Amino acid sequence: MSPKVIAIDGPAASGKSSTAAAVATRLAWAHLDSGALYRAVTLAALDNVGDARGRGGGGGTASERQPPRGVQERRERGEQGGQGEHGDQGQSGERHPWGPQQIVAIAESLPVRLVLVGAAFRPEVAGVDVGEAIRSERVTRRVSEIAALREVRHWVNVQQREAVLRHAGGVVVDGRDIGTVVFPDAPLKVFLTASPEERARRRLAQRGQAIDPTELKREAAALAARDQADSTRAVAPLRAAADAVRLDTTVLSLAEQVNRVVALARERHLG
Ligand code: CDP
């Protein structure tokens, strides 16, 4: 039996998450943002894997390093974790390699997980909601690197499939590989695109930043770099499934693109 899943994939800032959340509301389904889980794992790694921070303190497994750094303090403060811009780099600015097993061990032990709050699966690290903290620049800069690791992808996929299995109703899941790898049997797959300029404009607007030419150029370059990393990685690269419906949203409003996806869902008797 195919899972009760609508898969929405597409490049960075193509409107996947906003569309998926609104479609889920319209259908009275739940929403799972898989990118939020990759971001939560990245945040956990930045805060707890010594080598990743360039401080040389990493190494060893999570069990050898109980409790992971920063966790106890966060629990006590009831906070989400660091927001610094350069916590992932050593003083020289050089980056250090990530150890996939170590990252998965950290994600397991903290734990990093998805929790259903209302109709949305929220990312948590060590029992704290990290929905805001995962949007920081330092996480965005490193997330594609973490998401390229086979072991991390396997772990994230297990979390997603379990979350969907546990949930009695349907789930709208958005990401890069939902229709191709995570839920290849989803009864509806949508691949959202938009021009690079429009995606950059949307991302700046989402952050409440000024939309001037310099910022637009900088943001478009950052999005392009992430798309390039996501599309060319060896494991589960960003691409449309052969049976996905492609939707170019460049000139569509959010309401229009939501209407289109809801119409496709209704045609397939979903929701
Ligand atoms: O919201 P935005 O488009 O900026 O990205 P996101 O959905 O939060 O995803 C952040 C990163 O996670 C992406 O750039 C990918 O590297 C990774 N990701 C992935 O590899 N596979 C997914 N299914 C979802 C996200």
Side-chain angles (χ1 to χ4, degrees):
M1 204 180 75
S2 62
K4 211 172 169 190
V5 162
I6 294 176
I8 302 187
D9 290 302
S14 56
K16 301 176 302 292
S17 292
S18 336
T19 305
V23 169
T25 304
R26 289 269 298 276
L27 301 178
W29 283 22
H31 171 219
L32 192 163
D33 171 3
S34 63
L37 199 48
Y38 284 104
R39 285 172 178 272
V41 173
T42 304
L43 176 67
L46 283 167
D47 283 351
N48 294 285
V49 181
D51 282 346
R53 308 184 80 170
R55 292 183 187 165
T61 64
S63 56
E64 286 166 335
R65 301 174 50 248
Q66 294 275 340
R69 216 184 314 150
V71 173
Q72 194 58 35
E73 298 95 295
R74 268 208 312 282
R75 279 198 182 118
E76 283 160 12
R77 292 196 308 263
E79 287 174 13
Q80 298 142 338
Q83 293 275 358
E85 289 297 298
H86 302 290
D88 57 331
Q89 295 181 343
Q91 290 187 337
S92 62
E94 85 201 80
R95 285 183 167 182
H96 294 259
W98 305 85
Q101 279 91 3
Q102 191 183 6
I103 292 171
V104 170
I106 289 280
E108 275 286 322
S109 69
L110 285 170
V112 174
R113 57 188 195 126
L114 288 169
V115 180
L116 189 63
V117 179
F121 286 93
R122 303 277 309 174
E124 272 191 3
V125 175
V128 176
D129 187 298
V130 292
E132 294 296 320
I134 59 170
R135 303 288 153 199
S136 68
E137 184 60 30
R138 72 195 267 262
V139 170
T140 302
R141 250 192 286 125
R142 299 295 298 271
V143 62
S144 289
E145 193 184 328
I146 292 275
L149 302 172
R150 187 180 300 278
E151 294 85 346
V152 171
R153 298 202 73 81
H154 175 73
W155 186 85
V156 165
N157 292 350
V158 169
Q159 311 309 308
Q160 293 183 70
R161 293 185 185 121
E162 283 181 355
V164 166
L165 263 179
R166 278 197 308 268
H167 185 63
V171 186
V172 185
V173 186
D174 75 272
R176 305 287 189 290
D177 61 342
I178 309 305
T180 50
V181 173
V182 189
F183 295 108
D185 299 328
L188 173 60
K189 302 174 188 178
V190 179
F191 194 81
L192 290 187
T193 57
S195 72
E197 300 73 30
E198 176 59 15
R199 292 192 283 127
R201 197 196 60 73
R202 287 178 190 171
R203 193 41 53 103
L204 291 180
Q206 189 182 30
R207 290 201 210 107
Q209 275 176 259
I211 303 185
D212 65 63
T214 314
E215 277 306 303
L216 268 178
K217 214 170 148 192
R218 195 197 57 76
E219 189 58 36
L223 292 176
R226 199 142 57 88
D227 289 346
Q228 171 74 6
D230 292 343
S231 317
T232 55
R233 68 183 171 217
V235 198
L238 163 67
R239 63 180 174 81
D243 53 348
V245 178
R246 289 170 180 268
L247 194 56
D248 184 337
T249 70
T250 307
V251 297
L252 297 183
S253 67
L254 179 62
E256 285 168 330
Q257 66 204 48
V258 170
N259 284 341
R260 301 262 182 116
V261 179
V262 169
L264 289 166
R266 302 258 194 247
E267 278 170 24
R268 286 165 170 72
H269 308 290
L270 302 167

